[in-house]
Amino acid sequence: MAERALIDYIRGLAGSDGRALIGIGDDCAALRLPEGTVAVVTIDSVIEGVHCEPGTAPEMIGRKAVSRALSDIAAMAADPLCTVAAASFGPGLSEAGRRGLVRALCERGRELGAPLIGGDVASGAESTMVTVTALGSGDPSELVRRSGAEPGDLVCVTGSLGGSILGRHLTFDPRLREAAALRGRCRVHAMIDISDGLSTDALHLADESQVGFVIEEAAVPVSDSARRLAQTTGRSALDHAFDDGEDYELLFCVAADDARRLAEEGLAGTSVSIIGRVGEGRSSRRLAADGTERELTAGGWEHPGGG
Amino acid sequence: MAERALIDYIRGLAGSDGRALIGIGDDCAALRLPEGTVAVVTIDSVIEGVHCEPGTAPEMIGRKAVSRALSDIAAMAADPLCTVAAASFGPGLSEAGRRGLVRALCERGRELGAPLIGGDVASGAESTMVTVTALGSGDPSELVRRSGAEPGDLVCVTGSLGGSILGRHLTFDPRLREAAALRGRCRVHAMIDISDGLSTDALHLADESQVGFVIEEAAVPVSDSARRLAQTTGRSALDHAFDDGEDYELLFCVAADDARRLAEEGLAGTSVSIIGRVGEGRSSRRLAADGTERELTAGGWEHPGGG
């Protein structure tokens, strides 16, 4: 299918979004930001054979690319606005596959409150790849950075961790509702979405905040997938929870009272676990159930896709 | 080089841009739009082997990706704000090549008034590829769409056309200054940047405006590169000017008086040629020097990268 026909197809699917002053089909899309807000922007790729298995359904490649970008919007506690996407198609991708991929970009963006308003398509690439830029908005005083964790804070995480390779890395829902609820409930000092694994991303958060974390192993919420995976890998389910990438859960630091309330009440129906605290000094440690301590090291698969 | 080290390298290069409230190193970048403006956004990829020859210097791949995205900002008559980029590195790309590519992204963005404020890097791709999202801003009443050409308008183009494959497709300067000057000088009814070739993009502009163009062949500015290329291809230099892609000149429609003034005075030091007019009816035609007419057909290489 010629480029033009595919763009017309996308234009029909995307329809017109109220936010877009100018949508698909011009040189740029244009949109108005909500009054008093600043723009937040992030870009993420999903490459067949790198971020997903060769032969992954094109719909899932598109879906994952949108979800990954929106997970970064959640991690700033920002509101989603829109997406733009660049897709390049590998030689094996049929016309139906191409349509399926772009349809997934449109549908997933709309589901997550960030409709597709522009893009670029290319054939002739050696593998299928999608790059999504998500735009969001936020009150500048409410955006949450990685760098604000304070002594006395408790370290919290949404959901459960590990084993996403069994499927959740494609199907996860970015924690947008949870982030919005969190922002409304308390002051969040620092936050990151877990894409590289708990151990790696906890170190990112601690380093950017110039603090050290003490993570209690017994408090880390281990997913059923991590347990299932552990039966085949010879590693413990806990190690999978610490080191597997692509959980896309929120890891954040708040004052102790806030943390206790969140752990009790959850966020938008999702559980919150207190897994540790900001300790003294700059080094981060893991505290085992038997009381022994060891350094927290970046055991997370440093997946080539970055954060 | 590990992902983290490369990100630290980029962070050092990018420095802090006054516009970015939050720059490289967090989950999203954040920026404030100028008062009273709306955001414009575009995304473009450059894939080694598709949009440039295999083996193209990584610096040139990065440079072209930034220039292409900013050319779309120019085509809306918007002001550049910033860029975010996703780079995936092919197996042959050395550490020095990776650094060269990301350095080019930073330097070219800064040169064009759109500093890099965020990104994503991935290894393991089958070929090197860069996707750049450019953000700009504009007064919503001054943004120029493809759809506003009116009966009586003249059709104008900046610079000269054809033969960009000889090198200009990598080194071109997007017409940002020309677009800003144009916006200040008259009301522009419709505009596009020529990425798919004059014939193809003139038809895009005419179709979106629901008009037909009459293009005078003798008025089309033929580049020296088109003439050089014609000596080896067996096609005429004029055909190269009509059909070659990637000129990245501005094609626009304005009232006749404005067009004559622009053709006399140029724009920011760049020549402007009146190459035709909006005709009667919806079909577009080419008018030869001997007075014969034929239909204007999309002879431009429909390059897979889109607009």
Side-chain angles (χ1 to χ4, degrees):
Chain A
M1 181 164 51
E3 174 206 330
R4 180 82 0 208
L6 187 58
I7 291 171
D8 287 342
Y9 177 70
I10 300 170
R11 212 166 165 172
L13 283 177
S16 66
D17 172 54
R19 260 174 294 223
L21 299 170
I22 301 174
I24 288 168
D26 219 305
D27 294 294
C28 293
L31 78 165
R32 197 183 295 279
L33 257 59
E35 194 85 20
T37 65
V38 297
V40 300
V41 57
T42 181
I43 187 165
D44 268 303
S45 299
V46 171
I47 308 173
E48 189 182 3
V50 177
H51 302 96
C52 58
E53 292 293 307
T56 297
E59 290 79 2
M60 297 312 294
I61 296 176
R63 179 188 166 109
K64 178 171 180 173
V66 175
S67 299
R68 281 192 74 188
L70 269 300
S71 183
D72 285 326
I73 299 288
M76 304 298 290
D79 291 314
L81 267 183
C82 67
T83 45
V84 295
S88 53
F89 305 122
L93 201 61
S94 68
E95 183 176 319
R98 291 168 189 221
R99 289 191 174 225
L101 193 156
V102 300
R103 199 168 51 238
L105 294 175
C106 292
E107 290 175 356
R108 189 63 173 152
R110 203 179 287 131
E111 274 171 23
L112 297 177
L116 188 79
I117 64 168
D120 181 52
V121 290
S123 299
E126 295 194 47
S127 60
T128 294
M129 170 169 176
V130 183
T131 300
V132 172
T133 293
L135 284 170
S137 64
D139 179 324
S141 69
E142 290 184 346
L143 295 176
V144 181
R145 305 193 55 166
R146 293 180 178 174
S147 53
E150 297 172 9
D153 280 357
L154 296 185
V155 181
C156 302
V157 70
T158 57
S160 61
L161 304 177
S164 76
I165 192 76
L166 295 183
R168 203 171 160 276
H169 75 108
L170 292 172
T171 60
F172 71 98
D173 288 316
R175 296 304 197 183
L176 289 160
R177 283 177 305 134
E178 290 76 3
L182 182 58
R183 188 183 66 200
R185 297 268 287 282
C186 61
R187 202 167 80 74
V188 190
H189 297 165
M191 185 152 66
I192 192 171
D193 65 318
I194 301 182
S195 55
D196 295 340
L198 170 62
S199 53
T200 300
D201 286 322
L203 288 170
H204 286 165
L205 202 58
D207 286 350
E208 293 290 335
S209 294
Q210 304 191 298
V211 299
F213 289 162
V214 181
I215 307 292
E216 286 182 48
E217 292 181 354
V220 171
V222 177
S223 74
D224 290 344
S225 299
R227 288 185 226 283
R228 275 211 310 287
L229 190 58
Q231 290 170 0
T232 65
T233 61
R235 299 187 68 204
S236 73
L238 182 67
D239 280 350
H240 282 294
F242 262 96
D243 294 341
D244 287 356
E246 309 216 77
D247 290 310
Y248 299 105
E249 296 292 350
L250 296 174
L251 180 70
F252 57 94
C253 295
V254 292
D257 284 354
D258 291 327
R260 290 189 195 102
R261 196 159 45 92
L262 293 167
E264 194 168 311
E265 298 170 6
L267 277 172
T270 298
S271 65
V272 172
S273 305
I274 299 171
I275 62 168
R277 59 184 171 81
V278 173
E280 272 90 61
R282 287 288 303 275
S283 75
S284 288
R285 288 161 292 149
R286 280 171 71 152
L287 188 61
D290 64 5
T292 56
E293 277 192 11
R294 60 184 167 113
E295 194 186 344
L296 179 66
T297 52
W301 175 52
E302 190 179 78
H303 80 74
Chain B
M1 180 163 52
E3 176 208 326
R4 180 90 344 218
L6 187 59
I7 290 171
D8 287 342
Y9 177 70
I10 300 170
R11 212 167 166 171
L13 283 177
S16 64
D17 172 53
R19 259 174 296 222
L21 299 169
I22 300 174
I24 289 167
D26 219 305
D27 294 294
C28 293
L31 78 165
R32 195 182 296 278
L33 256 58
E35 194 85 21
T37 65
V38 297
V40 300
V41 57
T42 182
I43 188 165
D44 269 303
S45 298
V46 172
I47 309 173
E48 189 182 4
V50 177
H51 303 95
C52 60
E53 292 292 308
T56 298
E59 290 80 0
M60 297 313 292
I61 296 176
R63 179 188 167 109
K64 178 172 180 173
V66 176
S67 299
R68 282 192 73 188
L70 271 299
S71 183
D72 284 327
I73 299 288
M76 304 298 290
D79 292 314
L81 267 182
C82 66
T83 44
V84 294
S88 52
F89 304 121
L93 201 61
S94 67
E95 183 177 320
R98 292 169 187 219
R99 289 190 174 226
L101 194 156
V102 300
R103 200 167 50 237
L105 294 174
C106 292
E107 289 175 358
R108 189 62 174 154
R110 202 179 288 131
E111 273 171 22
L112 296 176
L116 187 80
I117 64 166
D120 182 51
V121 290
S123 299
E126 294 194 48
S127 60
T128 294
M129 169 168 176
V130 183
T131 300
V132 172
T133 292
L135 285 170
S137 64
D139 179 325
S141 69
E142 290 185 345
L143 294 177
V144 181
R145 304 192 57 163
R146 293 179 178 176
S147 55
E150 297 172 9
D153 280 357
L154 296 184
V155 181
C156 302
V157 69
T158 56
S160 61
L161 304 177
S164 76
I165 192 75
L166 295 182
R168 203 172 160 277
H169 75 108
L170 292 173
T171 59
F172 72 98
D173 288 317
R175 296 305 196 183
L176 289 159
R177 282 177 307 137
E178 291 76 3
L182 181 58
R183 188 182 66 201
R185 296 270 285 282
C186 61
R187 201 167 79 76
V188 190
H189 298 164
M191 185 153 64
I192 193 173
D193 65 319
I194 302 180
S195 55
D196 295 339
L198 170 61
S199 54
T200 300
D201 286 322
L203 288 170
H204 287 165
L205 202 59
D207 287 349
E208 293 290 335
S209 294
Q210 304 191 297
V211 298
F213 290 162
V214 181
I215 306 293
E216 288 182 48
E217 293 182 352
V220 170
V222 177
S223 73
D224 292 343
S225 299
R227 289 185 223 285
R228 273 211 310 287
L229 190 58
Q231 291 170 359
T232 64
T233 61
R235 299 187 68 207
S236 73
L238 183 67
D239 280 349
H240 282 295
F242 262 94
D243 296 340
D244 287 357
E246 309 218 77
D247 289 311
Y248 300 104
E249 296 292 351
L250 296 174
L251 180 70
F252 57 94
C253 295
V254 292
D257 284 354
D258 290 329
R260 290 189 196 102
R261 196 158 46 92
L262 293 168
E264 194 168 310
E265 298 170 4
L267 277 172
T270 297
S271 65
V272 172
S273 304
I274 299 172
I275 62 167
R277 60 185 171 82
V278 173
E280 271 89 60
R282 288 287 302 274
S283 75
S284 288
R285 289 161 291 150
R286 279 171 71 152
L287 188 61
D290 65 5
T292 57
E293 277 192 10
R294 60 181 165 116
E295 194 188 345
L296 180 66
T297 52
W301 173 54
E302 190 179 75
H303 80 75

